[in-house]
Amino acid sequence: MSICNKKTLLCLAVSGSLFSVSYAANANDHHDHNHHDGEHHESEHRHHDAHVHGVVETNIAQDGDHLLFEITAPGADVVGFEHAPKDDAQKQVLANAVKTLNNPNLIFTLPENAKCTFEEAHVSHNLVNHNDHDDHDHEHDHDHDHDHHDGEHHKEHGKHGEFSAQYEYHCEAISNLDQIETQWFTHFPHTHKMTIQYLGDAGQKAASLTPKSSVITL
């Protein structure tokens, strides 16, 4: 069962309220971007920014002594491809990635004095091969359409390979949660940036983490 089915209010905070944090945090970036590229590109950027290669989105919501992480990552960032595994090597890469994602202690480090205990993980992806024959035909059509009408192709076949991970913690001393460090970049080096949106007792905060700056201060 998805964590969100059990922690509805917390998940609503992640998916809803944090939007205002994201929009405010990126307002200046959009303004500068528009100055050079025009309003149309800004609209396009906001439409696609949920799935940008090299960028992983992480929402963090705190409610009482509960802490919930929600990660959305392009398949290319996690395993290096965005389709169902085509051989045993890719199947192994996928299996290893899922195993890593199911162990949040490998992904995040929380302050010891916050006394946070990991309770549950929910990891999913859509890199699944439902029908080999259909996938072969789809890939053939993909190549043909890409050469002739790339924009229209992406509208029709715009479902990108993607991973989703949710982690729930119980923290006995949540007031001591003053920072969060991630080791995501160590395990998934294809990622160049992780956007963090936080909502909790410490207020709302947005930040961007990189391999050289992997700690968010709350």
Side-chain angles (χ1 to χ4, degrees), residues 99-120:
K99 183 178 180 180
T100 299
L101 289 172
N102 270 298
N103 187 349
N105 292 328
L106 297 176
I107 307 297
F108 295 105
T109 299
L110 308 178
E112 289 187 10
N113 60 353
K115 299 181 179 179
C116 296
T117 303
F118 164 65
E119 291 195 338
E120 187 175 355

Side-chain angles (χ1 to χ4, degrees), residues 165-186:
Q166 296 173 343
Y167 307 132
E168 182 185 351
Y169 291 84
H170 174 265
C171 302
E172 294 183 14
I174 194 72
S175 60
N176 292 326
L177 184 71
D178 56 359
Q179 70 173 35
I180 297 173
E181 181 178 3
T182 184
Q183 289 76 44
W184 178 278
F185 302 101
T186 299

Side-chain angles (χ1 to χ4, degrees), residues 22 86 101 124 198 213:
S22 175
K86 295 182 177 180
L101 289 172
S124 62
Y198 171 85
S213 179

Side-chain angles (χ1 to χ4, degrees), residues 2 8 25 39 53 72 91 114 124 135 142 145 178:
S2 169
T8 305
E39 295 181 1
H53 292 181
T72 302
K91 288 179 181 178
S124 62
D135 283 347
H142 173 91
D145 289 345
D178 56 359

Side-chain angles (χ1 to χ4, degrees), residues 30 43 48 85:
H30 284 313
S43 176
H48 292 291

Side-chain angles (χ1 to χ4, degrees), residues 35-203:
H35 179 73
H36 296 289
D37 295 325
E39 295 181 1
H40 175 71
H41 191 75
E42 176 210 2
S43 176
E44 233 180 21
H45 175 73
R46 282 192 295 186
H47 178 72
H48 292 291
D49 65 1
H51 187 103
V52 179
H53 292 181
V55 179
V56 169
E57 296 184 347
T58 300
N59 295 327
I60 306 172
Q62 176 255 321
D63 181 23
D65 54 9
H66 288 283
L67 190 65
L68 181 72
F69 291 75
E70 182 181 73
I71 302 173
T72 302
D77 280 45
V78 178
V79 293
F81 51 88
E82 293 201 333
H83 50 73
K86 295 182 177 180
D87 52 39
D88 289 341
Q90 289 188 346
K91 288 179 181 178
Q92 188 60 55
V93 170
L94 178 58
N96 290 342
V98 171
K99 183 178 180 180
T100 299
L101 289 172
N102 270 298
N103 187 349
N105 292 328
L106 297 176
I107 307 297
F108 295 105
T109 299
L110 308 178
E112 289 187 10
N113 60 353
K115 299 181 179 179
C116 296
T117 303
F118 164 65
E119 291 195 338
E120 187 175 355
H122 180 76
V123 177
S124 62
H125 64 83
N126 60 359
L127 278 64
V128 179
N129 202 347
H130 295 291
N131 188 301
D132 290 338
H133 179 71
D134 288 345
D135 283 347
H136 175 75
D137 290 342
H138 172 80
E139 289 170 11
H140 175 76
D141 291 340
H142 173 91
D143 293 337
H144 178 77
D145 289 345
H146 188 275
D147 291 339
H148 291 84
H149 207 312
D150 183 66
E152 187 172 325
H153 162 74
H154 281 292
K155 288 181 181 179
E156 295 177 357
H157 306 284
K159 188 176 181 181
H160 297 280
E162 195 167 75
F163 284 79
S164 175
Q166 296 173 343
Y167 307 132
E168 182 185 351
Y169 291 84
H170 174 265
C171 302
E172 294 183 14
I174 194 72
S175 60
N176 292 326
L177 184 71
D178 56 359
Q179 70 173 35
I180 297 173
E181 181 178 3
T182 184
Q183 289 76 44
W184 178 278
F185 302 101
T186 299
H187 299 289
F188 307 114
H190 292 290
T191 302
H192 305 300
K193 181 173 70 174
M194 173 182 279
T195 62
I196 301 285
Q197 298 175 38
Y198 171 85
L199 178 65
D201 289 346

